[in-house]
mmCIF file of all heavy atoms in Angstrom:
data_model
loop_
_atom_site.group_PDB
_atom_site.id
_atom_site.type_symbol
_atom_site.label_atom_id
_atom_site.label_comp_id
_atom_site.label_asym_id
_atom_site.label_seq_id
_atom_site.Cartn_x
_atom_site.Cartn_y
_atom_site.Cartn_z
ATOM 1 N N LYS A 144 -8.702 -4.032 -7.313
ATOM 2 C CA LYS A 144 -9.731 -3.868 -8.377
ATOM 3 C C LYS A 144 -9.267 -2.554 -9.108
ATOM 4 O O LYS A 144 -8.809 -1.575 -8.531
ATOM 5 C CB LYS A 144 -11.045 -3.608 -7.730
ATOM 6 C CG LYS A 144 -11.618 -4.794 -7.034
ATOM 7 C CD LYS A 144 -12.935 -4.557 -6.440
ATOM 8 C CE LYS A 144 -13.540 -5.806 -5.732
ATOM 9 N NZ LYS A 144 -14.844 -5.628 -5.175
ATOM 10 N N PRO A 145 -9.392 -2.595 -10.425
ATOM 11 C CA PRO A 145 -8.890 -1.435 -11.243
ATOM 12 C C PRO A 145 -9.665 -0.194 -10.953
ATOM 13 O O PRO A 145 -9.092 0.916 -11.184
ATOM 14 C CB PRO A 145 -9.089 -1.932 -12.700
ATOM 15 C CG PRO A 145 -9.624 -3.227 -12.761
ATOM 16 C CD PRO A 145 -9.813 -3.717 -11.274
ATOM 17 N N ASN A 146 -10.883 -0.284 -10.560
ATOM 18 C CA ASN A 146 -11.719 0.911 -10.283
ATOM 19 C C ASN A 146 -11.673 1.374 -8.849
ATOM 20 O O ASN A 146 -12.530 2.217 -8.455
ATOM 21 C CB ASN A 146 -13.084 0.749 -10.861
ATOM 22 C CG ASN A 146 -13.863 -0.481 -10.135
ATOM 23 O OD1 ASN A 146 -13.181 -1.210 -9.469
ATOM 24 N ND2 ASN A 146 -15.123 -0.536 -10.349
ATOM 25 N N ALA A 147 -10.857 0.781 -8.018
ATOM 26 C CA ALA A 147 -10.798 1.174 -6.619
ATOM 27 C C ALA A 147 -10.267 2.539 -6.424
ATOM 28 O O ALA A 147 -9.488 3.127 -7.277
ATOM 29 C CB ALA A 147 -9.910 0.190 -5.887
ATOM 30 N N ARG A 148 -10.701 3.213 -5.339
ATOM 31 C CA ARG A 148 -10.270 4.632 -5.070
ATOM 32 C C ARG A 148 -8.755 4.655 -4.915
ATOM 33 O O ARG A 148 -8.160 5.578 -5.380
ATOM 34 C CB ARG A 148 -10.968 5.097 -3.791
ATOM 35 C CG ARG A 148 -12.499 5.220 -3.862
ATOM 36 C CD ARG A 148 -13.093 6.106 -5.100
ATOM 37 N NE ARG A 148 -12.382 7.395 -5.072
ATOM 38 C CZ ARG A 148 -12.194 8.047 -6.223
ATOM 39 N NH1 ARG A 148 -12.679 7.542 -7.359
ATOM 40 N NH2 ARG A 148 -11.666 9.193 -6.209
ATOM 41 N N LYS A 149 -8.145 3.644 -4.307
ATOM 42 C CA LYS A 149 -6.658 3.692 -4.147
ATOM 43 C C LYS A 149 -6.011 3.792 -5.468
ATOM 44 O O LYS A 149 -4.987 4.506 -5.545
ATOM 45 C CB LYS A 149 -6.195 2.556 -3.294
ATOM 46 C CG LYS A 149 -6.271 1.156 -3.894
ATOM 47 C CD LYS A 149 -5.788 0.099 -2.989
ATOM 48 C CE LYS A 149 -6.287 -1.221 -3.248
ATOM 49 N NZ LYS A 149 -7.737 -1.462 -2.785
ATOM 50 N N VAL A 150 -6.535 3.196 -6.515
ATOM 51 C CA VAL A 150 -5.975 3.283 -7.845
ATOM 52 C C VAL A 150 -6.062 4.692 -8.324
ATOM 53 O O VAL A 150 -5.049 5.282 -8.875
ATOM 54 C CB VAL A 150 -6.600 2.263 -8.812
ATOM 55 C CG1 VAL A 150 -6.166 2.483 -10.263
ATOM 56 C CG2 VAL A 150 -6.261 0.818 -8.340
ATOM 57 N N ALA A 151 -7.188 5.297 -8.262
ATOM 58 C CA ALA A 151 -7.362 6.716 -8.720
ATOM 59 C C ALA A 151 -6.475 7.637 -7.914
ATOM 60 O O ALA A 151 -5.892 8.535 -8.520
ATOM 61 C CB ALA A 151 -8.855 7.069 -8.519
ATOM 62 N N HIS A 152 -6.302 7.348 -6.578
ATOM 63 C CA HIS A 152 -5.401 8.253 -5.821
ATOM 64 C C HIS A 152 -3.997 8.132 -6.324
ATOM 65 O O HIS A 152 -3.288 9.140 -6.470
ATOM 66 C CB HIS A 152 -5.434 7.770 -4.365
ATOM 67 C CG HIS A 152 -6.809 7.997 -3.677
ATOM 68 N ND1 HIS A 152 -7.108 7.457 -2.507
ATOM 69 C CD2 HIS A 152 -7.894 8.681 -4.078
ATOM 70 C CE1 HIS A 152 -8.356 7.737 -2.151
ATOM 71 N NE2 HIS A 152 -8.814 8.533 -3.057
ATOM 72 N N ILE A 153 -3.534 6.911 -6.499
ATOM 73 C CA ILE A 153 -2.116 6.669 -6.983
ATOM 74 C C ILE A 153 -1.852 7.223 -8.367
ATOM 75 O O ILE A 153 -0.776 7.813 -8.658
ATOM 76 C CB ILE A 153 -1.777 5.103 -6.959
ATOM 77 C CG1 ILE A 153 -1.738 4.647 -5.455
ATOM 78 C CG2 ILE A 153 -0.442 4.905 -7.671
ATOM 79 C CD1 ILE A 153 -1.675 3.161 -5.301
ATOM 80 N N GLU A 154 -2.901 7.221 -9.183
ATOM 81 C CA GLU A 154 -2.804 7.804 -10.550
ATOM 82 C C GLU A 154 -2.522 9.330 -10.451
ATOM 83 O O GLU A 154 -1.766 9.875 -11.219
ATOM 84 C CB GLU A 154 -4.021 7.544 -11.391
ATOM 85 C CG GLU A 154 -4.124 6.197 -11.856
ATOM 86 C CD GLU A 154 -5.438 5.809 -12.548
ATOM 87 O OE1 GLU A 154 -6.482 6.573 -12.395
ATOM 88 O OE2 GLU A 154 -5.517 4.812 -13.237
ATOM 89 N N LYS A 155 -3.047 9.978 -9.419
ATOM 90 C CA LYS A 155 -2.834 11.408 -9.216
ATOM 91 C C LYS A 155 -1.634 11.743 -8.334
ATOM 92 O O LYS A 155 -1.017 12.852 -8.466
ATOM 93 C CB LYS A 155 -4.060 12.035 -8.616
ATOM 94 C CG LYS A 155 -5.280 12.061 -9.671
ATOM 95 C CD LYS A 155 -6.419 12.704 -9.074
ATOM 96 C CE LYS A 155 -7.440 13.024 -10.098
ATOM 97 N NZ LYS A 155 -8.466 12.114 -10.320
ATOM 98 N N ASN A 156 -1.293 10.800 -7.398
ATOM 99 C CA ASN A 156 -0.283 11.140 -6.446
ATOM 100 C C ASN A 156 0.359 9.750 -6.059
ATOM 101 O O ASN A 156 -0.169 8.966 -5.335
ATOM 102 C CB ASN A 156 -0.719 11.842 -5.246
ATOM 103 C CG ASN A 156 0.305 12.235 -4.264
ATOM 104 O OD1 ASN A 156 1.447 11.695 -4.235
ATOM 105 N ND2 ASN A 156 0.024 13.224 -3.460
ATOM 106 N N SER A 157 1.626 9.512 -6.494
ATOM 107 C CA SER A 157 2.225 8.198 -6.304
ATOM 108 C C SER A 157 2.837 7.999 -4.895
ATOM 109 O O SER A 157 3.299 6.916 -4.576
ATOM 110 C CB SER A 157 3.285 7.983 -7.355
ATOM 111 O OG SER A 157 4.351 8.877 -7.163
ATOM 112 N N LYS A 158 2.833 9.016 -4.156
ATOM 113 C CA LYS A 158 3.450 8.931 -2.750
ATOM 114 C C LYS A 158 2.374 8.244 -1.803
ATOM 115 O O LYS A 158 1.213 8.701 -1.748
ATOM 116 C CB LYS A 158 3.857 10.323 -2.290
ATOM 117 C CG LYS A 158 4.892 10.965 -3.057
ATOM 118 C CD LYS A 158 5.407 12.175 -2.401
ATOM 119 C CE LYS A 158 6.475 12.941 -3.166
ATOM 120 N NZ LYS A 158 7.370 12.094 -3.958
ATOM 121 N N VAL A 159 2.949 7.184 -1.122
ATOM 122 C CA VAL A 159 2.049 6.365 -0.326
ATOM 123 C C VAL A 159 2.843 6.096 1.024
ATOM 124 O O VAL A 159 4.031 6.282 1.074
ATOM 125 C CB VAL A 159 1.593 5.071 -0.959
ATOM 126 C CG1 VAL A 159 0.755 5.328 -2.266
ATOM 127 C CG2 VAL A 159 2.759 4.148 -1.295
ATOM 128 N N ALA A 160 2.089 5.548 2.001
ATOM 129 C CA ALA A 160 2.692 5.070 3.194
ATOM 130 C C ALA A 160 2.064 3.664 3.553
ATOM 131 O O ALA A 160 0.977 3.396 3.146
ATOM 132 C CB ALA A 160 2.460 5.997 4.375
ATOM 133 N N LEU A 161 2.894 2.794 4.214
ATOM 134 C CA LEU A 161 2.480 1.520 4.675
ATOM 135 C C LEU A 161 2.837 1.476 6.139
ATOM 136 O O LEU A 161 3.862 1.993 6.539
ATOM 137 C CB LEU A 161 3.238 0.441 3.888
ATOM 138 C CG LEU A 161 3.098 0.402 2.379
ATOM 139 C CD1 LEU A 161 4.195 -0.488 1.817
ATOM 140 C CD2 LEU A 161 1.702 -0.093 1.975
ATOM 141 N N ASN A 162 1.924 0.902 6.941
ATOM 142 C CA ASN A 162 2.225 0.615 8.298
ATOM 143 C C ASN A 162 1.567 -0.626 8.702
ATOM 144 O O ASN A 162 0.545 -1.015 8.154
ATOM 145 C CB ASN A 162 1.938 1.783 9.139
ATOM 146 C CG ASN A 162 0.428 2.108 9.284
ATOM 147 O OD1 ASN A 162 -0.104 2.725 8.373
ATOM 148 N ND2 ASN A 162 -0.199 1.702 10.334
ATOM 149 N N PHE A 163 2.074 -1.287 9.825
ATOM 150 C CA PHE A 163 1.553 -2.501 10.374
ATOM 151 C C PHE A 163 0.837 -2.231 11.615
ATOM 152 O O PHE A 163 1.081 -1.284 12.361
ATOM 153 C CB PHE A 163 2.674 -3.501 10.629
ATOM 154 C CG PHE A 163 3.427 -3.879 9.292
ATOM 155 C CD1 PHE A 163 4.548 -3.286 8.963
ATOM 156 C CD2 PHE A 163 2.851 -4.875 8.539
ATOM 157 C CE1 PHE A 163 5.257 -3.633 7.828
ATOM 158 C CE2 PHE A 163 3.557 -5.258 7.337
ATOM 159 C CZ PHE A 163 4.748 -4.640 7.013
ATOM 160 N N ASN A 164 -0.091 -3.145 11.955
ATOM 161 C CA ASN A 164 -0.755 -3.062 13.256
ATOM 162 C C ASN A 164 0.179 -3.281 14.438
ATOM 163 O O ASN A 164 1.239 -3.991 14.234
ATOM 164 C CB ASN A 164 -1.879 -4.051 13.302
ATOM 165 C CG ASN A 164 -3.094 -3.730 12.447
ATOM 166 O OD1 ASN A 164 -3.375 -2.549 12.234
ATOM 167 N ND2 ASN A 164 -3.837 -4.717 12.060
ATOM 168 N N THR A 165 -0.053 -2.674 15.603
ATOM 169 C CA THR A 165 0.633 -2.990 16.739
ATOM 170 C C THR A 165 -0.343 -3.295 17.867
ATOM 171 O O THR A 165 -1.535 -3.036 17.703
ATOM 172 C CB THR A 165 1.444 -1.751 17.245
ATOM 173 O OG1 THR A 165 0.607 -0.667 17.513
ATOM 174 C CG2 THR A 165 2.560 -1.405 16.215
ATOM 175 N N ASP A 166 0.132 -3.906 18.976
ATOM 176 C CA ASP A 166 -0.803 -4.124 20.113
ATOM 177 C C ASP A 166 -0.017 -3.973 21.401
ATOM 178 O O ASP A 166 1.210 -4.123 21.354
ATOM 179 C CB ASP A 166 -1.595 -5.419 19.929
ATOM 180 C CG ASP A 166 -0.736 -6.694 19.988
ATOM 181 O OD1 ASP A 166 0.088 -6.775 20.968
ATOM 182 O OD2 ASP A 166 -0.921 -7.531 19.168
ATOM 183 N N GLU A 167 -0.644 -3.809 22.427
ATOM 184 C CA GLU A 167 -0.001 -3.596 23.766
ATOM 185 C C GLU A 167 0.620 -4.907 24.320
ATOM 186 O O GLU A 167 1.444 -4.821 25.180
ATOM 187 C CB GLU A 167 -1.010 -2.948 24.735
ATOM 188 C CG GLU A 167 -1.379 -1.567 24.334
ATOM 189 C CD GLU A 167 -2.319 -1.013 25.331
ATOM 190 O OE1 GLU A 167 -2.515 -1.514 26.392
ATOM 191 O OE2 GLU A 167 -2.920 0.056 24.969
ATOM 192 N N THR A 168 0.065 -6.102 23.954
ATOM 193 C CA THR A 168 0.502 -7.280 24.596
ATOM 194 C C THR A 168 1.469 -8.107 23.729
ATOM 195 O O THR A 168 2.240 -8.898 24.283
ATOM 196 C CB THR A 168 -0.707 -8.139 24.963
ATOM 197 O OG1 THR A 168 -1.433 -8.473 23.750
ATOM 198 C CG2 THR A 168 -1.540 -7.481 25.926
ATOM 199 N N GLY A 169 1.489 -7.983 22.456
ATOM 200 C CA GLY A 169 2.277 -8.763 21.602
ATOM 201 C C GLY A 169 3.260 -7.971 20.749
ATOM 202 O O GLY A 169 4.325 -7.576 21.087
ATOM 203 N N ASP A 170 2.802 -7.667 19.565
ATOM 204 C CA ASP A 170 3.698 -6.971 18.640
ATOM 205 C C ASP A 170 3.648 -5.467 18.918
ATOM 206 O O ASP A 170 2.649 -4.806 18.706
ATOM 207 C CB ASP A 170 3.200 -7.208 17.211
ATOM 208 C CG ASP A 170 4.201 -6.699 16.178
ATOM 209 O OD1 ASP A 170 5.154 -6.008 16.554
ATOM 210 O OD2 ASP A 170 4.025 -7.088 14.909
ATOM 211 N N GLN A 171 4.843 -4.977 19.272
ATOM 212 C CA GLN A 171 4.902 -3.526 19.635
ATOM 213 C C GLN A 171 5.745 -2.787 18.718
ATOM 214 O O GLN A 171 6.157 -1.600 19.001
ATOM 215 C CB GLN A 171 5.402 -3.402 21.093
ATOM 216 C CG GLN A 171 4.345 -3.976 22.061
ATOM 217 C CD GLN A 171 4.846 -3.908 23.540
ATOM 218 O OE1 GLN A 171 5.850 -3.258 23.888
ATOM 219 N NE2 GLN A 171 4.190 -4.531 24.487
ATOM 220 N N HIS A 172 6.145 -3.389 17.563
ATOM 221 C CA HIS A 172 7.067 -2.716 16.628
ATOM 222 C C HIS A 172 6.222 -1.671 15.873
ATOM 223 O O HIS A 172 5.197 -1.984 15.378
ATOM 224 C CB HIS A 172 7.587 -3.695 15.601
ATOM 225 C CG HIS A 172 8.584 -4.638 16.193
ATOM 226 N ND1 HIS A 172 8.258 -5.839 16.565
ATOM 227 C CD2 HIS A 172 9.926 -4.453 16.483
ATOM 228 C CE1 HIS A 172 9.329 -6.467 17.099
ATOM 229 N NE2 HIS A 172 10.319 -5.615 17.064
ATOM 230 N N VAL A 173 6.641 -0.434 15.876
ATOM 231 C CA VAL A 173 6.023 0.629 15.107
ATOM 232 C C VAL A 173 6.869 0.702 13.755
ATOM 233 O O VAL A 173 8.060 1.001 13.838
ATOM 234 C CB VAL A 173 5.962 1.953 15.812
ATOM 235 C CG1 VAL A 173 5.486 3.051 14.895
ATOM 236 C CG2 VAL A 173 5.106 1.851 17.050
ATOM 237 N N ILE A 174 6.283 0.441 12.672
ATOM 238 C CA ILE A 174 7.014 0.470 11.392
ATOM 239 C C ILE A 174 6.138 1.263 10.379
ATOM 240 O O ILE A 174 5.002 0.923 10.137
ATOM 241 C CB ILE A 174 7.190 -0.965 10.821
ATOM 242 C CG1 ILE A 174 8.055 -1.797 11.846
ATOM 243 C CG2 ILE A 174 7.835 -0.900 9.475
ATOM 244 C CD1 ILE A 174 8.124 -3.238 11.481
ATOM 245 N N VAL A 175 6.818 2.295 9.816
ATOM 246 C CA VAL A 175 6.198 3.085 8.811
ATOM 247 C C VAL A 175 7.105 3.146 7.602
ATOM 248 O O VAL A 175 8.273 3.539 7.758
ATOM 249 C CB VAL A 175 5.906 4.514 9.362
ATOM 250 C CG1 VAL A 175 5.287 5.413 8.161
ATOM 251 C CG2 VAL A 175 5.033 4.554 10.541
ATOM 252 N N ILE A 176 6.561 2.743 6.537
ATOM 253 C CA ILE A 176 7.297 2.783 5.249
ATOM 254 C C ILE A 176 6.643 3.685 4.289
ATOM 255 O O ILE A 176 5.451 3.717 4.066
ATOM 256 C CB ILE A 176 7.344 1.389 4.617
ATOM 257 C CG1 ILE A 176 7.998 0.309 5.493
ATOM 258 C CG2 ILE A 176 8.020 1.397 3.234
ATOM 259 C CD1 ILE A 176 7.707 -1.120 5.047
ATOM 260 N N THR A 177 7.464 4.677 3.824
ATOM 261 C CA THR A 177 6.904 5.609 2.795
ATOM 262 C C THR A 177 7.572 5.157 1.484
ATOM 263 O O THR A 177 8.621 4.641 1.397
ATOM 264 C CB THR A 177 7.170 7.109 3.101
ATOM 265 O OG1 THR A 177 8.528 7.268 3.403
ATOM 266 C CG2 THR A 177 6.363 7.536 4.297
ATOM 267 N N GLY A 178 6.828 5.464 0.420
ATOM 268 C CA GLY A 178 7.348 4.986 -0.908
ATOM 269 C C GLY A 178 6.621 5.615 -2.051
ATOM 270 O O GLY A 178 5.650 6.433 -1.908
ATOM 271 N N GLU A 179 7.079 5.186 -3.195
ATOM 272 C CA GLU A 179 6.430 5.506 -4.568
ATOM 273 C C GLU A 179 5.760 4.303 -5.062
ATOM 274 O O GLU A 179 6.295 3.257 -5.214
ATOM 275 C CB GLU A 179 7.504 5.973 -5.498
ATOM 276 C CG GLU A 179 8.252 7.193 -5.058
ATOM 277 C CD GLU A 179 7.463 8.495 -5.333
ATOM 278 O OE1 GLU A 179 6.547 8.462 -6.307
ATOM 279 O OE2 GLU A 179 7.658 9.510 -4.725
ATOM 280 N N ALA A 180 4.437 4.494 -5.355
ATOM 281 C CA ALA A 180 3.617 3.477 -5.918
ATOM 282 C C ALA A 180 3.634 3.609 -7.540
ATOM 283 O O ALA A 180 3.500 4.719 -7.974
ATOM 284 C CB ALA A 180 2.220 3.468 -5.411
ATOM 285 N N SER A 181 3.552 2.476 -8.163
ATOM 286 C CA SER A 181 3.433 2.489 -9.581
ATOM 287 C C SER A 181 2.631 1.226 -9.948
ATOM 288 O O SER A 181 2.436 0.402 -9.197
ATOM 289 C CB SER A 181 4.764 2.491 -10.285
ATOM 290 O OG SER A 181 5.543 1.375 -9.955
ATOM 291 N N PHE A 182 2.086 1.214 -11.216
ATOM 292 C CA PHE A 182 1.382 0.099 -11.652
ATOM 293 C C PHE A 182 2.316 -0.715 -12.505
ATOM 294 O O PHE A 182 2.983 -0.357 -13.392
ATOM 295 C CB PHE A 182 0.169 0.566 -12.508
ATOM 296 C CG PHE A 182 -0.723 1.442 -11.707
ATOM 297 C CD1 PHE A 182 -0.802 2.754 -11.958
ATOM 298 C CD2 PHE A 182 -1.489 0.934 -10.749
ATOM 299 C CE1 PHE A 182 -1.599 3.669 -11.229
ATOM 300 C CE2 PHE A 182 -2.313 1.767 -9.996
ATOM 301 C CZ PHE A 182 -2.410 3.122 -10.220
ATOM 302 N N ASP A 183 2.348 -2.004 -12.044
ATOM 303 C CA ASP A 183 3.288 -3.022 -12.690
ATOM 304 C C ASP A 183 2.540 -3.775 -13.779
ATOM 305 O O ASP A 183 1.844 -4.693 -13.637
ATOM 306 C CB ASP A 183 3.799 -3.986 -11.620
ATOM 307 C CG ASP A 183 4.869 -4.911 -12.176
ATOM 308 O OD1 ASP A 183 5.038 -5.097 -13.360
ATOM 309 O OD2 ASP A 183 5.571 -5.566 -11.348
ATOM 310 N N MET A 184 2.730 -3.236 -15.064
ATOM 311 C CA MET A 184 2.046 -3.764 -16.185
ATOM 312 C C MET A 184 2.573 -5.098 -16.606
ATOM 313 O O MET A 184 1.934 -5.846 -17.398
ATOM 314 C CB MET A 184 2.144 -2.749 -17.339
ATOM 315 C CG MET A 184 1.615 -1.376 -16.971
ATOM 316 S SD MET A 184 0.061 -1.393 -16.129
ATOM 317 C CE MET A 184 -0.994 -0.796 -17.475
ATOM 318 N N ASN A 185 3.780 -5.507 -16.150
ATOM 319 C CA ASN A 185 4.427 -6.750 -16.553
ATOM 320 C C ASN A 185 4.187 -7.882 -15.459
ATOM 321 O O ASN A 185 4.695 -8.920 -15.686
ATOM 322 C CB ASN A 185 5.884 -6.533 -16.814
ATOM 323 C CG ASN A 185 6.142 -5.615 -17.953
ATOM 324 O OD1 ASN A 185 5.462 -5.671 -18.935
ATOM 325 N ND2 ASN A 185 7.054 -4.665 -17.733
ATOM 326 N N CYS A 186 3.496 -7.566 -14.400
ATOM 327 C CA CYS A 186 3.306 -8.501 -13.372
ATOM 328 C C CYS A 186 2.277 -9.588 -13.843
ATOM 329 O O CYS A 186 1.201 -9.214 -14.404
ATOM 330 C CB CYS A 186 2.771 -7.800 -12.141
ATOM 331 S SG CYS A 186 2.565 -8.893 -10.709
ATOM 332 N N PRO A 187 2.545 -10.848 -13.562
ATOM 333 C CA PRO A 187 1.513 -11.875 -13.927
ATOM 334 C C PRO A 187 0.313 -11.730 -12.975
ATOM 335 O O PRO A 187 0.472 -10.967 -11.940
ATOM 336 C CB PRO A 187 2.277 -13.162 -13.573
ATOM 337 C CG PRO A 187 3.490 -12.895 -12.845
ATOM 338 C CD PRO A 187 3.821 -11.365 -12.968
ATOM 339 N N PRO A 188 -0.828 -12.297 -13.350
ATOM 340 C CA PRO A 188 -1.992 -12.221 -12.460
ATOM 341 C C PRO A 188 -1.626 -12.881 -11.084
ATOM 342 O O PRO A 188 -0.810 -13.632 -10.947
ATOM 343 C CB PRO A 188 -3.032 -12.969 -13.195
ATOM 344 C CG PRO A 188 -2.460 -13.453 -14.490
ATOM 345 C CD PRO A 188 -1.006 -13.096 -14.461
ATOM 346 N N ALA A 189 -2.440 -12.355 -10.057
ATOM 347 C CA ALA A 189 -2.250 -12.815 -8.686
ATOM 348 C C ALA A 189 -2.119 -14.368 -8.576
ATOM 349 O O ALA A 189 -1.239 -14.874 -7.846
ATOM 350 C CB ALA A 189 -3.318 -12.244 -7.824
ATOM 351 N N HIS A 190 -2.961 -15.120 -9.215
ATOM 352 C CA HIS A 190 -2.917 -16.591 -9.117
ATOM 353 C C HIS A 190 -1.691 -17.197 -9.727
ATOM 354 O O HIS A 190 -1.426 -18.370 -9.491
ATOM 355 C CB HIS A 190 -4.197 -17.231 -9.664
ATOM 356 C CG HIS A 190 -4.296 -17.274 -11.076
ATOM 357 N ND1 HIS A 190 -4.744 -16.143 -11.847
ATOM 358 C CD2 HIS A 190 -4.082 -18.250 -12.044
ATOM 359 C CE1 HIS A 190 -4.693 -16.470 -13.134
ATOM 360 N NE2 HIS A 190 -4.319 -17.739 -13.201
#
């Protein structure tokens, strides 16, 4: 959503992190991705 807090945060600081859930019985991969976020003005709509 354009008015979401994450959008306001990225507008002020483009550094972000991504990580996936883990669990003790199945997926135990710990993955942390850091990166630069930007707004893709040329991206088609989600649908």
Side-chain angles (χ1 to χ4, degrees):
K144 293 180 179 181
N146 59 348
R148 297 303 312 151
K149 65 181 160 284
V150 170
H152 297 164
I153 291 168
E154 286 172 343
K155 290 186 168 91
N156 185 341
S157 64
K158 294 189 183 325
V159 300
L161 301 164
N162 66 281
F163 297 97
N164 288 334
T165 61
D166 66 53
E167 293 179 13
T168 59
D170 189 350
Q171 298 178 8
H172 292 99
V173 173
I174 298 169
V175 178
I176 300 169
T177 53
E179 294 283 334
S181 61
F182 301 107
D183 187 343
M184 307 311 257
N185 298 316
C186 186
H190 74 280

